[in-house]
Amino acid sequence: MIPIAEPCLGPEEQENVLEAIRSGWISSQGKFIPEFEQKFARYCGTRYGVATANGTVALHLALKAIGIGPGDEVIVPVLTFIATANAVAYCNAKPVLVDVHPEYWCIDPVEVERNITDKTKAIIPVHLYGHPCDMNAITDIARRHNLYVIEDAAEAHGATYRGKRVGSFGDINCFSFYGNKIISTGEGGMCLTDDEALAGKMRILRDHGMDPNRRYWYDIVGFNYRMTNLQAAVGTAQVDRLDNLIARRRQLAIWYTDAFRNLVESQVIRLPPEMPWANNIYWMYSILLEDTFGMSRDELIGGLKEKGIETRPLFYPLHLMPPYQGCSPSAFPIAEEIGHKGLNLPSGPNTTREQVAQIVDCIASSRKVQ
Ligand SMILES: Cc1ncc(COP(=O)(O)O)c(C=O)c1O
């Protein structure tokens, strides 16, 4: 099977984990946690990192830190992994879904502005599949309407917007280090911020709400959202690989784009976007199948699976699924089209040029059979 993605782990990760085990610091204290937090925050161009158990709780922690609660509205793209909206729901606030931009598939700033009400407190731009959002437009809207920006950069480690790394634009910026992400700690996440007070608040909330100066004293209800030293031991070594892993994904995208030239010229497929102001890190190389392809996306996924090629459908737009049906009355034509036509191809760092040729041949010949 050619996998959709796989982690890239080596002797440095092994050595760090062994060191953590030998030291006895295997829970949420130990030297690797601050080391990983500082290293990753520095990489992204922010001052503070707060490591968490996973990316979903990083989002929840960020929203709690800025005080999101019942009655508040948070603007979320309708095309994203469900965790983005779930984190808002965990706060008993309302995720207000908005459509994505047809050219680059991320939250559309025009739709954001159109959906602001007097209850809106925050916007969560999601850098979908590794392509940055239009952050100047988003931060400008936020400034004019006095809203927080929480970047969901779970899929976009190291992607840049106008030359600046994502994860450095919002008030708080959240990452995931799940096994299929650009870098991984198994499960894991992090919140980045330049705001010392928000970083402090998140550290307290992450540790059950415990007063940092008085052990076992709690003024608020917090969570156990801590990362372990074992996870951070892996993470700190992973940061050193990040540039290389991004370069490998960008190389893979060049191979795919080259191999797909005929299918693109025949207008049967569309390739993943990269706007002139963006550096896409292609966490997933996603294509859209036009109706002229002559076969449905799900049929193609089934056919490729039989040939040993693992693919995934693009996310279903959130408003189609029971928890978020009726959340927003509007239609979402762009997200529906992309969600319906899109599939992710094997995008892992070990995918070879020969495998790319094999995958593209299989896709092209599936079409001929029709
Ligand atoms: C856009 C987005 N947000 C949030 C998450 C949640 O991260 P995790 O799986 O680490 O909880 C993910 C990933 O899986 C994601 O893709």
Side-chain angles (χ1 to χ4, degrees), residues 4-5 26 35 49 61 92 135 147 185 195 198 202 209 216 245 258 270 320 340 342 354 361 364:
I4 188 85
I26 57 167
E35 181 178 317
L61 195 64
N92 296 311
M135 290 314 298
L147 306 174
T185 58
D195 186 316
L198 283 178
M202 289 192 286
Y216 302 130
L245 291 171
D258 189 42
R270 254 187 284 165
L320 299 177
H340 180 68
E354 291 65 38
D361 277 353

Side-chain angles (χ1 to χ4, degrees), residues 54-56 59 80-81 83-84 126 152 154-155 176 178 181 188:
N54 58 62
T56 306
L59 286 164
T80 179
F81 183 60
T84 318
V126 180
D152 183 342
E155 305 179 353
S176 163
Y178 184 68
K181 295 299 188 287

Side-chain angles (χ1 to χ4, degrees), residues 52-59 77 79-85 87 124-129 152-156 174-181 186-190 283 315:
T52 58
N54 58 62
T56 306
V57 302
L59 286 164
L79 194 65
T80 179
F81 183 60
I82 198 156
T84 318
I124 311 185
V126 180
H127 309 298
L128 196 73
Y129 298 123
D152 183 342
E155 305 179 353
C174 302
F175 286 84
S176 163
F177 304 113
Y178 184 68
N180 64 9
K181 295 299 188 287
E187 294 278 357
M190 202 182 292
W283 171 56
F315 298 131

